[in-house]
Amino acid sequence: AVSCFSLKPAQAQMFDFNKALDCNWVDPVQSAFLSNHLVYKEKDAELQKRVTEQFIKNIDKAKIYFLESDVDGIKAKMKTVFELVAKKDCKFASESQELLVKRVGERTEYIKKTLGKEFKFNKETEFVYDPDKKTFPKTDKEANEFLDKYIQFQVANYLATDMKMDEAKGRVIKNYERNFKRLKETKADDLIAGYLNAFALSLDPHSTFFSKDYYEDFNIDMKLTLEGIGATLSQDDGFTTIESLVTGGAAAKSGVLEPKDKIVAVSKKEGKMENVIDMDLKDVVKLIRGPKGTKVKLSVLRKEAGTNKKFDVELTREKISLEDNAITIYYEDKVINGEKKKVGIINFPSFYADSNRGGRSSAADLKKIIAEAKAKKVNGIVIDLSSNGGGSLDDAVKIGGLFIKTGNIVKQSAMKKSESALADEDKTVDWNGPLVILTSRVSASASEILSGAMKD
């Protein structure tokens, strides 16, 4: 299970939380991780080595940009990275980013040249795709030889959708150009967040550092509410596209916006319109989201009767309930040995919990759903955790208690020598009939805790 922690009061007082993330944060955040971790407590040489390797892996996962000499250079700069960040020196991050931008620019130009008129598609191409089974290239020639094969694979993916060759080549080129543009626009606080996430992942695969943006998204998932226009957005070919409208949200109530509309500009706080074509989706979302009651203006492009129609729409942001992520139940009748049985199937996508008084929680919602199922006289219940990646540990314990009189659900370790049982102490049993729990490889954290405890 993933454990979360906050900075201790003494640590928290060192910072103004309204300021951007910078190098001043790094050493105290690392220390906070280590003071809370079960295994690793010291910033030793072995941990330093793992952090460096994870940092490099994070910025060139596919091993298609950096050369072996580039990696050696970064490792040399980060050889004493813990000492550097203690002195508030994070130049290694910006220098690594500059080198990455240089290499991505070179590879992008090579790809544009390769996918010219002389390009020939070869469906017999074979290459090692898994980065863990290949090394960084030693020379530019070796890097380009891999790219020759890799872009055959990328073009093939588009051709498989019945796309014409010229369009497929154009899409591949645009993807590399867009990635290059995004890298050049990377902000300093994103580099620091990237390093801290590499530090967290080097401790274990379940620890993560949340940047401000990711933390905001995490809170939305946990509370099942956000303040915005009520539209699901995606990015396609540089455009931010409306995938669907949330019922009751500002976008749906306007009667103007439709799925497949492309948002090309968004108003900023001062009212000026900012072009968002080729802008990273998370940055577009930040412009669109905002406090309930405030207004946002969108410039929209719609394909209509073979032509592009452009129009503006002003929306008032609202508080939106993300019902799709809440627990729901449906019923199925089954005939077993000639006898009709009713089964309640519970879709359980996440363990959510709003910490505000009166806020919604998965434990409270499931308790109500079980009461409803009993009223419908179901013969059995299925809880589907097959797409549930976890969430609130407290709710996992409370939900376990719905099915047993009393008893431990999970043991929590604060330190190696300090352990405590998180137990159900309420003797009430909400459901004592047949129960099936579905899990998959995706089920994690609180899902594993609940299913493991119920199996026991």
Side-chain angles (χ1 to χ4, degrees), residues 36-66:
N36 285 273
H37 204 271
L38 296 177
V39 179
Y40 300 104
K41 299 294 177 186
E42 302 296 330
K43 299 173 193 167
D44 57 23
E46 178 57 31
L47 179 58
Q48 199 160 238
K49 182 183 175 184
R50 283 206 312 279
V51 171
T52 301
E53 288 172 351
Q54 188 65 52
F55 176 77
I56 294 166
K57 183 177 181 179
N58 282 3
I59 56 181
D60 188 7
K61 290 182 176 69
K63 296 181 180 175
I64 63 173
Y65 296 121
F66 284 144

Side-chain angles (χ1 to χ4, degrees), residues 327 346-351 362 366 383-385 387-388 399 450:
I327 299 172
I346 297 171
N347 179 41
F348 195 158
S350 71
F351 288 79
S362 54
L366 187 58
I383 298 180
D384 185 357
L385 299 175
S387 61
N388 190 319
I399 288 167
L450 175 62

Side-chain angles (χ1 to χ4, degrees), residues 293-342:
T294 58
K295 295 185 182 298
V296 62
K297 192 173 181 181
L298 310 176
S299 280
V300 178
L301 197 65
R302 178 182 296 164
K303 203 159 191 175
E304 209 169 69
T307 60
N308 287 324
K309 174 187 174 185
K310 190 178 178 184
F311 60 92
D312 291 346
V313 58
E314 188 174 76
L315 303 170
T316 301
R317 297 179 178 102
E318 296 180 351
K319 193 169 186 178
I320 301 149
S321 178
L322 304 178
E323 292 295 329
D324 286 349
N325 291 328
I327 299 172
T328 55
I329 187 170
Y330 64 97
Y331 302 92
E332 283 194 8
D333 291 326
K334 298 286 183 182
V335 177
I336 301 167
N337 297 327
E339 211 175 327
K340 194 175 179 182
K341 303 283 188 182
K342 185 184 286 293

Side-chain angles (χ1 to χ4, degrees), residues 46-303:
E46 178 57 31
L47 179 58
Q48 199 160 238
K49 182 183 175 184
R50 283 206 312 279
V51 171
T52 301
E53 288 172 351
Q54 188 65 52
F55 176 77
I56 294 166
K57 183 177 181 179
N58 282 3
I59 56 181
D60 188 7
K61 290 182 176 69
K63 296 181 180 175
I64 63 173
Y65 296 121
F66 284 144
L67 300 177
E68 192 178 81
S69 57
D70 297 333
V71 173
D72 291 341
I74 294 171
K75 286 180 177 177
K77 286 176 183 174
M78 294 180 69
K79 194 173 182 181
T80 58
V81 68
F82 292 157
E83 291 177 27
L84 290 172
V85 297
K87 297 173 184 174
K88 299 176 176 54
D89 180 358
C90 294
K91 282 189 293 187
F92 68 89
S94 57
E95 289 171 355
S96 299
Q97 180 69 11
E98 287 168 12
L99 180 58
L100 179 64
V101 169
K102 180 175 182 289
R103 292 291 183 235
V104 172
E106 291 168 354
R107 305 287 178 260
T108 302
E109 287 304 310
Y110 178 79
I111 285 160
K112 287 162 70 175
K113 182 181 175 183
T114 304
L115 289 175
K117 291 180 180 178
E118 304 300 318
F119 175 77
K120 291 182 180 177
F121 178 64
N122 178 10
K123 64 180 182 181
E124 304 298 326
T125 302
E126 293 183 9
F127 72 108
V128 177
Y129 179 76
D130 187 349
D132 292 333
K133 294 179 180 176
K134 61 190 283 287
T135 58
F136 282 96
K138 290 182 172 57
T139 62
D140 282 319
K141 182 183 176 186
E142 195 177 315
N144 291 338
E145 284 173 353
F146 176 80
L147 277 179
D148 287 339
K149 297 174 182 178
Y150 191 45
I151 58 179
Q152 292 277 350
F153 169 68
Q154 292 174 303
V155 168
N157 285 339
Y158 284 117
L159 295 178
T161 66
D162 296 327
M163 192 179 287
K164 300 296 183 187
M165 177 61 76
D166 284 346
E167 188 181 354
K169 293 195 298 183
R171 287 287 185 99
V172 172
I173 290 169
K174 277 187 179 179
N175 289 341
Y176 279 93
E177 287 179 332
R178 198 175 296 120
N179 181 45
F180 183 41
K181 181 176 183 291
R182 275 201 291 263
L183 280 171
K184 288 192 291 184
E185 294 171 352
T186 302
K187 297 168 186 170
D189 56 348
D190 288 331
L191 298 181
I192 299 299
Y195 168 77
L196 284 171
N197 195 41
F199 178 86
L201 285 169
S202 70
L203 298 174
D204 63 78
H206 305 293
S207 290
T208 308
F209 175 79
F210 281 2
S211 66
K212 187 177 179 182
D213 291 341
Y214 278 103
Y215 181 63
E216 187 176 291
D217 289 338
F218 175 76
N219 274 334
I220 287 168
D221 286 340
M222 290 296 283
K223 295 179 180 180
L224 294 184
T225 60
L226 63 82
E227 292 179 349
I229 64 169
T232 304
L233 307 176
S234 66
Q235 202 156 54
D236 180 41
D237 204 18
F239 286 100
T240 297
T241 305
I242 295 176
E243 286 290 320
S244 61
L245 305 177
V246 178
T247 304
K253 287 198 287 191
S254 73
V256 178
L257 294 172
E258 298 175 0
K260 296 187 180 178
D261 284 346
K262 292 177 170 61
I263 299 171
V264 295
V266 179
S267 61
K268 296 197 286 187
K269 285 181 181 177
E270 60 272 21
K272 292 179 182 177
M273 298 297 286
E274 180 170 351
N275 187 300
V276 296
I277 296 173
D278 280 333
M279 183 183 285
D280 197 31
L281 183 61
K282 67 180 177 66
D283 294 324
V284 181
V285 170
K286 273 200 285 187
L287 285 173
I288 293 174
R289 277 183 194 162
K292 177 184 175 183
T294 58
K295 295 185 182 298
V296 62
K297 192 173 181 181
L298 310 176
S299 280
V300 178
L301 197 65
R302 178 182 296 164
K303 203 159 191 175

Side-chain angles (χ1 to χ4, degrees), residues 332-390:
E332 283 194 8
D333 291 326
K334 298 286 183 182
V335 177
I336 301 167
N337 297 327
E339 211 175 327
K340 194 175 179 182
K341 303 283 188 182
K342 185 184 286 293
V343 181
I345 301 169
I346 297 171
N347 179 41
F348 195 158
S350 71
F351 288 79
Y352 49 88
D354 187 345
S355 58
N356 295 324
R357 176 176 280 185
R360 195 166 177 180
S361 78
S362 54
D365 283 356
L366 187 58
K367 189 177 181 72
K368 290 175 187 173
I369 280 174
I370 289 172
E372 176 198 305
K374 286 171 74 174
K376 289 184 181 286
K377 297 188 173 7
V378 297
N379 301 103
I381 285 176
V382 175
I383 298 180
D384 185 357
L385 299 175
S386 61
S387 61
N388 190 319

